[in-house]
Every structure is written in structure tokens, then in C-alpha cells.
Amino acid sequence: MDSPTNPTSLHADSIISSLLSFPASSSFSAASSFDRGLEKALASASDDASVQDHLLNQTIQLTSLLLDSTKRCFRVRASAHNSISWILTPELTIKVFSMLDTKSLMQAAACCTVFNKCAMDRSSYAHIDLTTATKEADNEVVCTMIHRAGKELRSLKLGHVTRLDGSDPIPIWVNGPFLPSLSYNHGFLGSRLRSLRLYNIRPVNFSSLSSVLSVCSNLTDLRIVRSNCPFMYLFTTLSKNCRLIEHLCLVSYHP
């Protein structure tokens, strides 16, 4: 990065300052001035078309840099305004964010720096809900969310719930290991989970689902809807590893 006291930087700063202090006038007048300036620069550059093309490309790059810089300044000003005008403390904001579905949380995080900082807190991901995601959430996305929650993980909802019109939702097809993040570090993250709800996820074989449940020893709420896994085999795993379950709902899938 150039030093602010570098002669080249000082010259560039002077040119940009002159541009920004351009007298207020109609956009048409300013556009005409830019057209005349660019045409003059092209005329004095060279008769070589490649040289003129290079000048035009350089102009586009410079205007793009100016636009990007303007957007950054706008975001900084907006964030400063939000940090002053937002009435909730960071602790309360994080509490609110923890109640949102994950899609809404991502949208809030993109609003401003203040929201983004709160949305990156582990507690904001305590209740992961990807049932409202417009796109299918693959294992990589789910693992990322689980690791963001870390020790604060409490509930996890995956899949597509039944539609309001009663039609069958599109099933989510799982390739490879199912929820491997819950088994990391001897199942530490799985042991933090209290509620697990899976909707229309296929195929989930018995061994894959059993591996997940075997590390979720503190589950109190389990709901598996429209799965192709034979539930009778799950009861042995549940009775052995998930003895704290209070609410259990199993709905099988019959093609």
C-alpha cells in the first residue's frame, strides 16, 4: 500500500479531491464534461486502436474503484448510524438472533457490521433451522453451522416440512456420511443437542442414523418425518443411548 506521504499518492489524492469537489450541476452537464475529457484523452493518446482500448479499460477500472470506495464509505456510515440508533444491547440482539431460522439469520448478518458481529456469536446458532432454506443445504453447509454453534448447540432442524397446500415436499437426498460433525471430538457437539428434527431426508440408512443418535445422549425431543429407515431398529439405539427423550415422533415413508 502506498504511503500517504508518497509523492505519487499525494498527486492521486489531489486529483481525486478535485474530482469530488466538482461543482454541483445537472447530471447531463457532468456527463458531457466526462465525455469531452475522455474524447480529448483518446485523441491525444495515439492512433493505435490497442492504445485507445487500454485507455478505455483503465478508465473503467478507475471508475469501478471509485464506485467500490463509495460503497465502502456508505456501509461504514450506515454501520455507525446503526450502532448508535439500535436500541438493543449486543446480548439482547444475540438472544433475538438465536430465535430466528438460519436463513433469516444469514439475511440479518448481511445488513450491517453491527448485526454481522452479533450473528457470528455462537449463541446465535444455538437453534439451527434450515427447513426454510430455498436451496438444499448439503453436509458442508450443515457442518459449518454446527461448528459455528459449537458448545452452544441445542437444536437442529433439517429438510423440507409438509407444504401448506398438502402436497408432498421435495425430499433431500443425502450422499456420504450423515451429520458427521456431531460425532467429532468423541461426540461432544452431539451431546450438546437437545432437539433433533429431520423432515423428508432420504436415504438415511439405519447405521448412519444410529451413529448420529448414539452421540446425542441428551436428546429430549426427536422427530423424524417421512424417512425410509426402518424405525423398529432404532428403538434399541434410543433405549440404549437416548434415555432422556420426552417427545418422540416417527413417521415412515412408503413410496
Side-chain angles (χ1 to χ4, degrees):
M1 182 179 292
D2 292 336
S3 170
T5 58
N6 185 293
T8 303
S9 297
L10 291 174
H11 181 62
D13 291 347
S14 177
I15 294 175
I16 294 174
S17 296
S18 298
L19 177 64
L20 295 178
S21 61
F22 196 82
S25 57
S26 67
S27 58
F28 176 78
S29 176
S32 298
S33 297
F34 285 130
D35 288 344
R36 289 193 299 271
L38 188 55
E39 289 171 359
K40 183 178 180 181
L42 288 171
S44 60
S46 171
D47 292 332
D48 188 344
S50 63
V51 175
Q52 294 181 351
D53 289 342
H54 176 73
L55 177 61
L56 290 174
N57 289 331
Q58 185 180 32
T59 303
I60 292 174
Q61 291 176 1
L62 290 173
T63 53
S64 178
L65 290 173
L66 179 59
L67 178 60
D68 290 342
S69 181
T70 303
K71 289 180 178 179
R72 284 195 297 272
C73 289
F74 180 82
R75 288 195 294 268
V76 170
R77 285 171 53 83
S79 295
H81 170 75
N82 289 345
S83 64
I84 296 173
S85 60
W86 184 245
I87 60 174
L88 297 183
T89 63
E91 293 77 15
L92 285 176
T93 302
I94 292 170
K95 182 66 175 177
V96 172
F97 282 0
S98 70
M99 301 176 185
L100 298 177
D101 63 84
T102 307
K103 177 184 176 181
S104 299
L105 177 61
M106 295 296 96
Q107 292 173 334
C111 289
C112 65
T113 303
V114 175
F115 281 7
N116 183 267
K117 184 176 180 179
C118 292
M120 290 301 104
D121 189 275
R122 289 187 182 279
S123 296
S124 294
Y125 294 88
H127 305 283
I128 299 173
D129 181 358
L130 290 168
T131 59
T132 59
T134 54
K135 294 184 178 180
E136 186 173 314
D138 56 23
N139 261 335
E140 184 177 354
V141 173
V142 176
C143 287
T144 298
M145 297 300 162
I146 290 175
H147 283 294
R148 283 186 181 178
K151 65 179 182 180
E152 300 300 328
L153 181 65
R154 294 296 180 271
S155 69
L156 178 60
K157 294 181 182 179
L158 297 177
H160 294 155
V161 298
T162 304
R163 296 173 178 172
L164 295 177
D165 59 6
S167 59
D168 290 340
I170 300 174
I172 292 180
W173 296 91
V174 177
N175 295 315
F178 183 59
L179 298 178
S181 295
L182 296 178
S183 300
Y184 292 163
N185 194 18
H186 306 289
F188 172 74
L189 295 180
S191 69
R192 312 300 294 179
L193 205 58
R194 301 294 183 271
S195 174
L196 176 62
R197 299 190 176 188
L198 307 175
Y199 301 92
N200 298 283
I201 297 180
R202 298 192 287 272
V204 178
N205 57 49
F206 167 70
S207 60
S208 180
L209 186 55
S210 179
S211 296
V212 172
L213 295 175
S214 66
V215 297
C216 299
S217 57
N218 292 308
L219 273 182
T220 59
D221 174 59
L222 176 62
R223 178 173 296 185
I224 305 177
V225 177
R226 293 177 65 84
S227 170
N228 60 343
C229 180
F231 291 132
M232 289 302 298
Y233 294 105
L234 289 180
F235 288 117
T236 301
T237 300
L238 294 177
S239 61
K240 180 180 179 181
N241 300 294
C242 306
R243 298 183 177 183
L244 301 180
I245 287 184
E246 299 174 359
H247 306 283
L248 177 64
C249 176
L250 304 176
V251 181
S252 61
Y253 166 73
H254 299 288

